[in-house]
Structure formats: C-alpha cells, structure tokens
Amino acid sequence: MFNGLMEEFGGLILGSIGIFLAVALAGAGSAKGVGMAGEAAAGVVIDEPEKFGKSLVLQLLPGTQGLYGFVIGLFILFRLSVETPVNTGFMYLASGAVIGLAGLVSAVAQGKVSVAGINILAKNEEQQAKGIIFAVMVELYAILAFAISFFILFRA
C-alpha cells in the first residue's frame, strides 16, 4: 500500500513535507529570535521610551528567516501538483529542508545577537550601529541558505 501511494503521490507528499519544513522551521526560529529581542527591547523602552524605534530595528532582524522560509514554501506550493514526480518532490523537500533548518538556527542565533545589540543601545546609544552590524552578520548565512534553496527549487 505504501509503495503504491508513493508511486502515485510521492512527489506531492515529498513536496508538501518540503513546504512544511521551510515554513514551520524557519517561522519557529524567527518567532523565537524576535521574541527574545522583543523581551530585551521592552526592558529598554520601559525606562527610555524614545529608544523604541532603534530597538525595533534590532528586534525585527531575526524575523527575516521566517520570511525566507515562507517565500520558498510558496514557490514550492506554486510548482507542486498531483503529477509531480518523486525525484522532483525530493528536490522540493531538499529545498525546504535547507531554508527551514538554516532559518531555525540562524534566527535564534540572530535573536541572541540582537539582544546584545539592544544592550549596546541601552548603555551607549551612539554605538547602536555596531550592534546592528553584529546582527546582520548572522543574516548572511540565512541569505546563503535562501539562495541555495532557491537554486535547488528551480533545478528540479
């Protein structure tokens, strides 16, 4: 039964798992990273409400990985059909797994760096740009994962 199901719908099943991995893992990482940075930002804004805008920039940075996962998930969804062959479905799965896993890990790491950047903002506002640069360095790896996911997806 399982073999027959995979023969008939294997590409669709694998591609659907790829969508899940891209959106759920990258989204979960972004939620965690944005949440950590938001907690730190709230602590700063209580005493210095004028720093809201500057702290918001650092809070938003870990959210980009969820966006990258969402975009790859949408691309897979738009290309997926009942007739998708298994080998193509596997490529979709690989594409989703790459951005999902990289997004999960890098968003949490970026959230931690963003918290440190918010601490810089709290103690020495003139040095805030350095905190942003530190957080953006983590973004590079999410961008690389997004690029390779995109190339895998359109190679299928």
PDB file of all heavy atoms in Angstrom, residues 68-104:
ATOM      1  N   TYR A  68      12.018  34.236   4.571  1.00  0.00           N
ATOM      2  CA  TYR A  68      12.701  33.429   3.557  1.00  0.00           C
ATOM      3  C   TYR A  68      12.059  32.042   3.441  1.00  0.00           C
ATOM      4  O   TYR A  68      11.848  31.529   2.342  1.00  0.00           O
ATOM      5  CB  TYR A  68      14.188  33.255   3.883  1.00  0.00           C
ATOM      6  CG  TYR A  68      14.986  34.523   4.004  1.00  0.00           C
ATOM      7  CD1 TYR A  68      16.112  34.572   4.812  1.00  0.00           C
ATOM      8  CD2 TYR A  68      14.625  35.676   3.321  1.00  0.00           C
ATOM      9  CE1 TYR A  68      16.864  35.727   4.930  1.00  0.00           C
ATOM     10  CE2 TYR A  68      15.365  36.842   3.441  1.00  0.00           C
ATOM     11  CZ  TYR A  68      16.483  36.861   4.247  1.00  0.00           C
ATOM     12  OH  TYR A  68      17.220  38.010   4.369  1.00  0.00           O
ATOM     13  N   GLY A  69      11.755  31.434   4.579  1.00  0.00           N
ATOM     14  CA  GLY A  69      11.089  30.131   4.570  1.00  0.00           C
ATOM     15  C   GLY A  69       9.713  30.206   3.936  1.00  0.00           C
ATOM     16  O   GLY A  69       9.311  29.303   3.193  1.00  0.00           O
ATOM     17  N   PHE A  70       8.991  31.266   4.231  1.00  0.00           N
ATOM     18  CA  PHE A  70       7.656  31.460   3.663  1.00  0.00           C
ATOM     19  C   PHE A  70       7.733  31.591   2.139  1.00  0.00           C
ATOM     20  O   PHE A  70       6.931  30.989   1.414  1.00  0.00           O
ATOM     21  CB  PHE A  70       7.009  32.697   4.285  1.00  0.00           C
ATOM     22  CG  PHE A  70       5.633  32.986   3.780  1.00  0.00           C
ATOM     23  CD1 PHE A  70       4.555  32.206   4.175  1.00  0.00           C
ATOM     24  CD2 PHE A  70       5.408  34.043   2.921  1.00  0.00           C
ATOM     25  CE1 PHE A  70       3.280  32.473   3.709  1.00  0.00           C
ATOM     26  CE2 PHE A  70       4.140  34.322   2.450  1.00  0.00           C
ATOM     27  CZ  PHE A  70       3.068  33.531   2.844  1.00  0.00           C
ATOM     28  N   VAL A  71       8.694  32.348   1.656  1.00  0.00           N
ATOM     29  CA  VAL A  71       8.840  32.544   0.204  1.00  0.00           C
ATOM     30  C   VAL A  71       9.175  31.222  -0.490  1.00  0.00           C
ATOM     31  O   VAL A  71       8.571  30.873  -1.514  1.00  0.00           O
ATOM     32  CB  VAL A  71       9.906  33.621  -0.104  1.00  0.00           C
ATOM     33  CG1 VAL A  71      10.280  33.637  -1.579  1.00  0.00           C
ATOM     34  CG2 VAL A  71       9.400  34.988   0.332  1.00  0.00           C
ATOM     35  N   ILE A  72      10.120  30.467   0.060  1.00  0.00           N
ATOM     36  CA  ILE A  72      10.461  29.169  -0.532  1.00  0.00           C
ATOM     37  C   ILE A  72       9.251  28.242  -0.471  1.00  0.00           C
ATOM     38  O   ILE A  72       8.945  27.532  -1.437  1.00  0.00           O
ATOM     39  CB  ILE A  72      11.691  28.543   0.153  1.00  0.00           C
ATOM     40  CG1 ILE A  72      12.951  29.369  -0.131  1.00  0.00           C
ATOM     41  CG2 ILE A  72      11.886  27.087  -0.274  1.00  0.00           C
ATOM     42  CD1 ILE A  72      13.371  29.445  -1.594  1.00  0.00           C
ATOM     43  N   GLY A  73       8.538  28.232   0.657  1.00  0.00           N
ATOM     44  CA  GLY A  73       7.326  27.428   0.784  1.00  0.00           C
ATOM     45  C   GLY A  73       6.289  27.782  -0.273  1.00  0.00           C
ATOM     46  O   GLY A  73       5.669  26.893  -0.873  1.00  0.00           O
ATOM     47  N   LEU A  74       6.112  29.068  -0.530  1.00  0.00           N
ATOM     48  CA  LEU A  74       5.169  29.491  -1.576  1.00  0.00           C
ATOM     49  C   LEU A  74       5.627  29.045  -2.960  1.00  0.00           C
ATOM     50  O   LEU A  74       4.810  28.582  -3.769  1.00  0.00           O
ATOM     51  CB  LEU A  74       4.999  31.012  -1.568  1.00  0.00           C
ATOM     52  CG  LEU A  74       4.035  31.594  -0.555  1.00  0.00           C
ATOM     53  CD1 LEU A  74       4.009  33.113  -0.678  1.00  0.00           C
ATOM     54  CD2 LEU A  74       2.638  31.027  -0.723  1.00  0.00           C
ATOM     55  N   PHE A  75       6.924  29.195  -3.236  1.00  0.00           N
ATOM     56  CA  PHE A  75       7.435  28.759  -4.535  1.00  0.00           C
ATOM     57  C   PHE A  75       7.200  27.260  -4.742  1.00  0.00           C
ATOM     58  O   PHE A  75       6.815  26.826  -5.821  1.00  0.00           O
ATOM     59  CB  PHE A  75       8.925  29.068  -4.689  1.00  0.00           C
ATOM     60  CG  PHE A  75       9.238  30.467  -5.129  1.00  0.00           C
ATOM     61  CD1 PHE A  75      10.246  31.176  -4.514  1.00  0.00           C
ATOM     62  CD2 PHE A  75       8.545  31.067  -6.164  1.00  0.00           C
ATOM     63  CE1 PHE A  75      10.560  32.467  -4.920  1.00  0.00           C
ATOM     64  CE2 PHE A  75       8.836  32.357  -6.583  1.00  0.00           C
ATOM     65  CZ  PHE A  75       9.856  33.063  -5.957  1.00  0.00           C
ATOM     66  N   ILE A  76       7.452  26.479  -3.699  1.00  0.00           N
ATOM     67  CA  ILE A  76       7.208  25.036  -3.801  1.00  0.00           C
ATOM     68  C   ILE A  76       5.726  24.789  -4.037  1.00  0.00           C
ATOM     69  O   ILE A  76       5.343  24.010  -4.922  1.00  0.00           O
ATOM     70  CB  ILE A  76       7.683  24.287  -2.542  1.00  0.00           C
ATOM     71  CG1 ILE A  76       9.204  24.390  -2.390  1.00  0.00           C
ATOM     72  CG2 ILE A  76       7.263  22.815  -2.602  1.00  0.00           C
ATOM     73  CD1 ILE A  76       9.730  23.896  -1.041  1.00  0.00           C
ATOM     74  N   LEU A  77       4.884  25.442  -3.274  1.00  0.00           N
ATOM     75  CA  LEU A  77       3.435  25.268  -3.393  1.00  0.00           C
ATOM     76  C   LEU A  77       2.947  25.581  -4.807  1.00  0.00           C
ATOM     77  O   LEU A  77       2.139  24.840  -5.371  1.00  0.00           O
ATOM     78  CB  LEU A  77       2.715  26.151  -2.377  1.00  0.00           C
ATOM     79  CG  LEU A  77       1.192  26.060  -2.370  1.00  0.00           C
ATOM     80  CD1 LEU A  77       0.733  24.670  -1.970  1.00  0.00           C
ATOM     81  CD2 LEU A  77       0.623  27.109  -1.419  1.00  0.00           C
ATOM     82  N   PHE A  78       3.440  26.654  -5.396  1.00  0.00           N
ATOM     83  CA  PHE A  78       3.005  27.039  -6.739  1.00  0.00           C
ATOM     84  C   PHE A  78       3.482  26.075  -7.816  1.00  0.00           C
ATOM     85  O   PHE A  78       2.869  25.965  -8.875  1.00  0.00           O
ATOM     86  CB  PHE A  78       3.461  28.459  -7.073  1.00  0.00           C
ATOM     87  CG  PHE A  78       2.796  29.525  -6.245  1.00  0.00           C
ATOM     88  CD1 PHE A  78       3.469  30.684  -5.920  1.00  0.00           C
ATOM     89  CD2 PHE A  78       1.495  29.375  -5.780  1.00  0.00           C
ATOM     90  CE1 PHE A  78       2.866  31.672  -5.158  1.00  0.00           C
ATOM     91  CE2 PHE A  78       0.881  30.355  -5.018  1.00  0.00           C
ATOM     92  CZ  PHE A  78       1.572  31.511  -4.708  1.00  0.00           C
ATOM     93  N   ARG A  79       4.563  25.357  -7.552  1.00  0.00           N
ATOM     94  CA  ARG A  79       5.098  24.411  -8.534  1.00  0.00           C
ATOM     95  C   ARG A  79       4.594  22.986  -8.325  1.00  0.00           C
ATOM     96  O   ARG A  79       4.726  22.146  -9.197  1.00  0.00           O
ATOM     97  CB  ARG A  79       6.631  24.420  -8.474  1.00  0.00           C
ATOM     98  CG  ARG A  79       7.226  25.756  -8.884  1.00  0.00           C
ATOM     99  CD  ARG A  79       8.725  25.783  -8.679  1.00  0.00           C
ATOM    100  NE  ARG A  79       9.408  24.784  -9.465  1.00  0.00           N
ATOM    101  CZ  ARG A  79      10.037  25.019 -10.620  1.00  0.00           C
ATOM    102  NH1 ARG A  79      10.057  26.230 -11.114  1.00  0.00           N
ATOM    103  NH2 ARG A  79      10.639  24.050 -11.260  1.00  0.00           N
ATOM    104  N   LEU A  80       4.010  22.725  -7.176  1.00  0.00           N
ATOM    105  CA  LEU A  80       3.602  21.381  -6.789  1.00  0.00           C
ATOM    106  C   LEU A  80       2.250  21.014  -7.392  1.00  0.00           C
ATOM    107  O   LEU A  80       1.358  21.841  -7.475  1.00  0.00           O
ATOM    108  CB  LEU A  80       3.505  21.328  -5.250  1.00  0.00           C
ATOM    109  CG  LEU A  80       3.527  19.983  -4.562  1.00  0.00           C
ATOM    110  CD1 LEU A  80       4.785  19.205  -4.897  1.00  0.00           C
ATOM    111  CD2 LEU A  80       3.429  20.195  -3.055  1.00  0.00           C
ATOM    112  N   SER A  81       2.134  19.756  -7.828  1.00  0.00           N
ATOM    113  CA  SER A  81       0.854  19.250  -8.330  1.00  0.00           C
ATOM    114  C   SER A  81       0.763  17.753  -8.049  1.00  0.00           C
ATOM    115  O   SER A  81       1.744  17.124  -7.632  1.00  0.00           O
ATOM    116  CB  SER A  81       0.709  19.510  -9.836  1.00  0.00           C
ATOM    117  OG  SER A  81       1.549  18.635 -10.565  1.00  0.00           O
ATOM    118  N   VAL A  82      -0.385  17.178  -8.300  1.00  0.00           N
ATOM    119  CA  VAL A  82      -0.589  15.747  -8.102  1.00  0.00           C
ATOM    120  C   VAL A  82       0.338  14.949  -9.012  1.00  0.00           C
ATOM    121  O   VAL A  82       0.761  13.848  -8.660  1.00  0.00           O
ATOM    122  CB  VAL A  82      -2.077  15.379  -8.355  1.00  0.00           C
ATOM    123  CG1 VAL A  82      -2.293  13.882  -8.268  1.00  0.00           C
ATOM    124  CG2 VAL A  82      -2.966  16.105  -7.370  1.00  0.00           C
ATOM    125  N   GLU A  83       0.685  15.494 -10.161  1.00  0.00           N
ATOM    126  CA  GLU A  83       1.541  14.794 -11.122  1.00  0.00           C
ATOM    127  C   GLU A  83       3.032  14.986 -10.863  1.00  0.00           C
ATOM    128  O   GLU A  83       3.863  14.514 -11.642  1.00  0.00           O
ATOM    129  CB  GLU A  83       1.237  15.277 -12.553  1.00  0.00           C
ATOM    130  CG  GLU A  83      -0.143  14.925 -13.048  1.00  0.00           C
ATOM    131  CD  GLU A  83      -1.203  15.951 -12.620  1.00  0.00           C
ATOM    132  OE1 GLU A  83      -0.854  17.128 -12.382  1.00  0.00           O
ATOM    133  OE2 GLU A  83      -2.372  15.564 -12.498  1.00  0.00           O
ATOM    134  N   THR A  84       3.425  15.680  -9.801  1.00  0.00           N
ATOM    135  CA  THR A  84       4.832  15.920  -9.523  1.00  0.00           C
ATOM    136  C   THR A  84       5.563  14.582  -9.342  1.00  0.00           C
ATOM    137  O   THR A  84       5.175  13.776  -8.499  1.00  0.00           O
ATOM    138  CB  THR A  84       5.002  16.774  -8.244  1.00  0.00           C
ATOM    139  OG1 THR A  84       4.332  18.024  -8.417  1.00  0.00           O
ATOM    140  CG2 THR A  84       6.469  17.027  -7.936  1.00  0.00           C
ATOM    141  N   PRO A  85       6.612  14.336 -10.128  1.00  0.00           N
ATOM    142  CA  PRO A  85       7.357  13.085  -9.983  1.00  0.00           C
ATOM    143  C   PRO A  85       8.112  13.031  -8.650  1.00  0.00           C
ATOM    144  O   PRO A  85       8.410  14.058  -8.048  1.00  0.00           O
ATOM    145  CB  PRO A  85       8.338  13.097 -11.150  1.00  0.00           C
ATOM    146  CG  PRO A  85       8.105  14.334 -11.914  1.00  0.00           C
ATOM    147  CD  PRO A  85       7.094  15.165 -11.218  1.00  0.00           C
ATOM    148  N   VAL A  86       8.427  11.826  -8.215  1.00  0.00           N
ATOM    149  CA  VAL A  86       9.094  11.628  -6.929  1.00  0.00           C
ATOM    150  C   VAL A  86      10.438  12.357  -6.891  1.00  0.00           C
ATOM    151  O   VAL A  86      10.779  12.984  -5.884  1.00  0.00           O
ATOM    152  CB  VAL A  86       9.273  10.125  -6.617  1.00  0.00           C
ATOM    153  CG1 VAL A  86      10.132   9.911  -5.383  1.00  0.00           C
ATOM    154  CG2 VAL A  86       7.920   9.461  -6.435  1.00  0.00           C
ATOM    155  N   ASN A  87      11.222  12.272  -7.960  1.00  0.00           N
ATOM    156  CA  ASN A  87      12.534  12.929  -7.947  1.00  0.00           C
ATOM    157  C   ASN A  87      12.397  14.449  -7.808  1.00  0.00           C
ATOM    158  O   ASN A  87      13.192  15.089  -7.126  1.00  0.00           O
ATOM    159  CB  ASN A  87      13.374  12.541  -9.161  1.00  0.00           C
ATOM    160  CG  ASN A  87      12.745  12.942 -10.478  1.00  0.00           C
ATOM    161  OD1 ASN A  87      11.520  13.031 -10.598  1.00  0.00           O
ATOM    162  ND2 ASN A  87      13.572  13.164 -11.474  1.00  0.00           N
ATOM    163  N   THR A  88      11.395  15.033  -8.427  1.00  0.00           N
ATOM    164  CA  THR A  88      11.146  16.469  -8.279  1.00  0.00           C
ATOM    165  C   THR A  88      10.661  16.779  -6.866  1.00  0.00           C
ATOM    166  O   THR A  88      11.091  17.763  -6.259  1.00  0.00           O
ATOM    167  CB  THR A  88      10.108  16.944  -9.319  1.00  0.00           C
ATOM    168  OG1 THR A  88      10.597  16.638 -10.630  1.00  0.00           O
ATOM    169  CG2 THR A  88       9.849  18.429  -9.205  1.00  0.00           C
ATOM    170  N   GLY A  89       9.791  15.928  -6.328  1.00  0.00           N
ATOM    171  CA  GLY A  89       9.330  16.101  -4.954  1.00  0.00           C
ATOM    172  C   GLY A  89      10.480  16.057  -3.964  1.00  0.00           C
ATOM    173  O   GLY A  89      10.499  16.805  -2.978  1.00  0.00           O
ATOM    174  N   PHE A  90      11.443  15.179  -4.235  1.00  0.00           N
ATOM    175  CA  PHE A  90      12.610  15.103  -3.356  1.00  0.00           C
ATOM    176  C   PHE A  90      13.412  16.405  -3.414  1.00  0.00           C
ATOM    177  O   PHE A  90      13.913  16.876  -2.385  1.00  0.00           O
ATOM    178  CB  PHE A  90      13.497  13.915  -3.718  1.00  0.00           C
ATOM    179  CG  PHE A  90      14.669  13.774  -2.795  1.00  0.00           C
ATOM    180  CD1 PHE A  90      14.505  13.268  -1.513  1.00  0.00           C
ATOM    181  CD2 PHE A  90      15.932  14.184  -3.191  1.00  0.00           C
ATOM    182  CE1 PHE A  90      15.587  13.167  -0.651  1.00  0.00           C
ATOM    183  CE2 PHE A  90      17.008  14.081  -2.336  1.00  0.00           C
ATOM    184  CZ  PHE A  90      16.833  13.572  -1.053  1.00  0.00           C
ATOM    185  N   MET A  91      13.554  16.993  -4.583  1.00  0.00           N
ATOM    186  CA  MET A  91      14.259  18.277  -4.711  1.00  0.00           C
ATOM    187  C   MET A  91      13.514  19.367  -3.940  1.00  0.00           C
ATOM    188  O   MET A  91      14.138  20.211  -3.292  1.00  0.00           O
ATOM    189  CB  MET A  91      14.422  18.656  -6.183  1.00  0.00           C
ATOM    190  CG  MET A  91      15.322  17.714  -6.958  1.00  0.00           C
ATOM    191  SD  MET A  91      17.039  17.749  -6.410  1.00  0.00           S
ATOM    192  CE  MET A  91      17.611  19.181  -7.284  1.00  0.00           C
ATOM    193  N   TYR A  92      12.188  19.349  -4.009  1.00  0.00           N
ATOM    194  CA  TYR A  92      11.391  20.317  -3.243  1.00  0.00           C
ATOM    195  C   TYR A  92      11.596  20.100  -1.744  1.00  0.00           C
ATOM    196  O   TYR A  92      11.697  21.068  -0.983  1.00  0.00           O
ATOM    197  CB  TYR A  92       9.913  20.203  -3.594  1.00  0.00           C
ATOM    198  CG  TYR A  92       9.543  20.604  -5.002  1.00  0.00           C
ATOM    199  CD1 TYR A  92       8.316  20.235  -5.537  1.00  0.00           C
ATOM    200  CD2 TYR A  92      10.402  21.342  -5.807  1.00  0.00           C
ATOM    201  CE1 TYR A  92       7.950  20.600  -6.819  1.00  0.00           C
ATOM    202  CE2 TYR A  92      10.052  21.707  -7.093  1.00  0.00           C
ATOM    203  CZ  TYR A  92       8.819  21.337  -7.600  1.00  0.00           C
ATOM    204  OH  TYR A  92       8.458  21.700  -8.862  1.00  0.00           O
ATOM    205  N   LEU A  93      11.643  18.846  -1.341  1.00  0.00           N
ATOM    206  CA  LEU A  93      11.897  18.526   0.060  1.00  0.00           C
ATOM    207  C   LEU A  93      13.266  19.063   0.487  1.00  0.00           C
ATOM    208  O   LEU A  93      13.404  19.685   1.548  1.00  0.00           O
ATOM    209  CB  LEU A  93      11.831  17.012   0.288  1.00  0.00           C
ATOM    210  CG  LEU A  93      12.260  16.493   1.652  1.00  0.00           C
ATOM    211  CD1 LEU A  93      11.351  17.009   2.749  1.00  0.00           C
ATOM    212  CD2 LEU A  93      12.286  14.976   1.649  1.00  0.00           C
ATOM    213  N   ALA A  94      14.280  18.843  -0.329  1.00  0.00           N
ATOM    214  CA  ALA A  94      15.624  19.328  -0.016  1.00  0.00           C
ATOM    215  C   ALA A  94      15.650  20.853   0.068  1.00  0.00           C
ATOM    216  O   ALA A  94      16.253  21.430   0.980  1.00  0.00           O
ATOM    217  CB  ALA A  94      16.620  18.836  -1.064  1.00  0.00           C
ATOM    218  N   SER A  95      14.983  21.503  -0.862  1.00  0.00           N
ATOM    219  CA  SER A  95      14.922  22.966  -0.861  1.00  0.00           C
ATOM    220  C   SER A  95      14.299  23.489   0.430  1.00  0.00           C
ATOM    221  O   SER A  95      14.817  24.413   1.063  1.00  0.00           O
ATOM    222  CB  SER A  95      14.118  23.439  -2.077  1.00  0.00           C
ATOM    223  OG  SER A  95      13.962  24.833  -2.068  1.00  0.00           O
ATOM    224  N   GLY A  96      13.174  22.899   0.827  1.00  0.00           N
ATOM    225  CA  GLY A  96      12.505  23.323   2.049  1.00  0.00           C
ATOM    226  C   GLY A  96      13.317  23.015   3.293  1.00  0.00           C
ATOM    227  O   GLY A  96      13.341  23.803   4.245  1.00  0.00           O
ATOM    228  N   ALA A  97      14.000  21.868   3.296  1.00  0.00           N
ATOM    229  CA  ALA A  97      14.793  21.482   4.459  1.00  0.00           C
ATOM    230  C   ALA A  97      15.973  22.422   4.665  1.00  0.00           C
ATOM    231  O   ALA A  97      16.297  22.783   5.805  1.00  0.00           O
ATOM    232  CB  ALA A  97      15.274  20.048   4.311  1.00  0.00           C
ATOM    233  N   VAL A  98      16.613  22.839   3.580  1.00  0.00           N
ATOM    234  CA  VAL A  98      17.776  23.731   3.689  1.00  0.00           C
ATOM    235  C   VAL A  98      17.381  25.048   4.342  1.00  0.00           C
ATOM    236  O   VAL A  98      17.980  25.471   5.338  1.00  0.00           O
ATOM    237  CB  VAL A  98      18.427  23.976   2.306  1.00  0.00           C
ATOM    238  CG1 VAL A  98      19.408  25.137   2.353  1.00  0.00           C
ATOM    239  CG2 VAL A  98      19.124  22.721   1.816  1.00  0.00           C
ATOM    240  N   ILE A  99      16.369  25.711   3.813  1.00  0.00           N
ATOM    241  CA  ILE A  99      15.988  27.013   4.378  1.00  0.00           C
ATOM    242  C   ILE A  99      15.331  26.843   5.742  1.00  0.00           C
ATOM    243  O   ILE A  99      15.491  27.683   6.620  1.00  0.00           O
ATOM    244  CB  ILE A  99      15.098  27.832   3.412  1.00  0.00           C
ATOM    245  CG1 ILE A  99      14.980  29.288   3.895  1.00  0.00           C
ATOM    246  CG2 ILE A  99      13.720  27.221   3.260  1.00  0.00           C
ATOM    247  CD1 ILE A  99      16.287  30.033   3.992  1.00  0.00           C
ATOM    248  N   GLY A 100      14.612  25.751   5.931  1.00  0.00           N
ATOM    249  CA  GLY A 100      13.973  25.528   7.224  1.00  0.00           C
ATOM    250  C   GLY A 100      14.982  25.367   8.344  1.00  0.00           C
ATOM    251  O   GLY A 100      14.897  26.040   9.375  1.00  0.00           O
ATOM    252  N   LEU A 101      15.944  24.490   8.141  1.00  0.00           N
ATOM    253  CA  LEU A 101      16.939  24.240   9.181  1.00  0.00           C
ATOM    254  C   LEU A 101      17.855  25.447   9.388  1.00  0.00           C
ATOM    255  O   LEU A 101      18.111  25.862  10.520  1.00  0.00           O
ATOM    256  CB  LEU A 101      17.756  22.991   8.846  1.00  0.00           C
ATOM    257  CG  LEU A 101      18.762  22.551   9.895  1.00  0.00           C
ATOM    258  CD1 LEU A 101      18.081  22.266  11.230  1.00  0.00           C
ATOM    259  CD2 LEU A 101      19.506  21.313   9.411  1.00  0.00           C
ATOM    260  N   ALA A 102      18.343  26.010   8.299  1.00  0.00           N
ATOM    261  CA  ALA A 102      19.216  27.181   8.425  1.00  0.00           C
ATOM    262  C   ALA A 102      18.454  28.356   9.037  1.00  0.00           C
ATOM    263  O   ALA A 102      19.007  29.106   9.846  1.00  0.00           O
ATOM    264  CB  ALA A 102      19.783  27.567   7.062  1.00  0.00           C
ATOM    265  N   GLY A 103      17.186  28.519   8.654  1.00  0.00           N
ATOM    266  CA  GLY A 103      16.382  29.603   9.217  1.00  0.00           C
ATOM    267  C   GLY A 103      16.137  29.422  10.699  1.00  0.00           C
ATOM    268  O   GLY A 103      16.203  30.381  11.468  1.00  0.00           O
ATOM    269  N   LEU A 104      15.869  28.193  11.108  1.00  0.00           N
ATOM    270  CA  LEU A 104      15.650  27.906  12.527  1.00  0.00           C
ATOM    271  C   LEU A 104      16.877  28.281  13.353  1.00  0.00           C
ATOM    272  O   LEU A 104      16.785  29.022  14.339  1.00  0.00           O
ATOM    273  CB  LEU A 104      15.317  26.424  12.717  1.00  0.00           C
ATOM    274  CG  LEU A 104      15.229  25.914  14.158  1.00  0.00           C
ATOM    275  CD1 LEU A 104      14.040  26.529  14.869  1.00  0.00           C
ATOM    276  CD2 LEU A 104      15.144  24.396  14.166  1.00  0.00           C
TER     277      LEU A 104
END
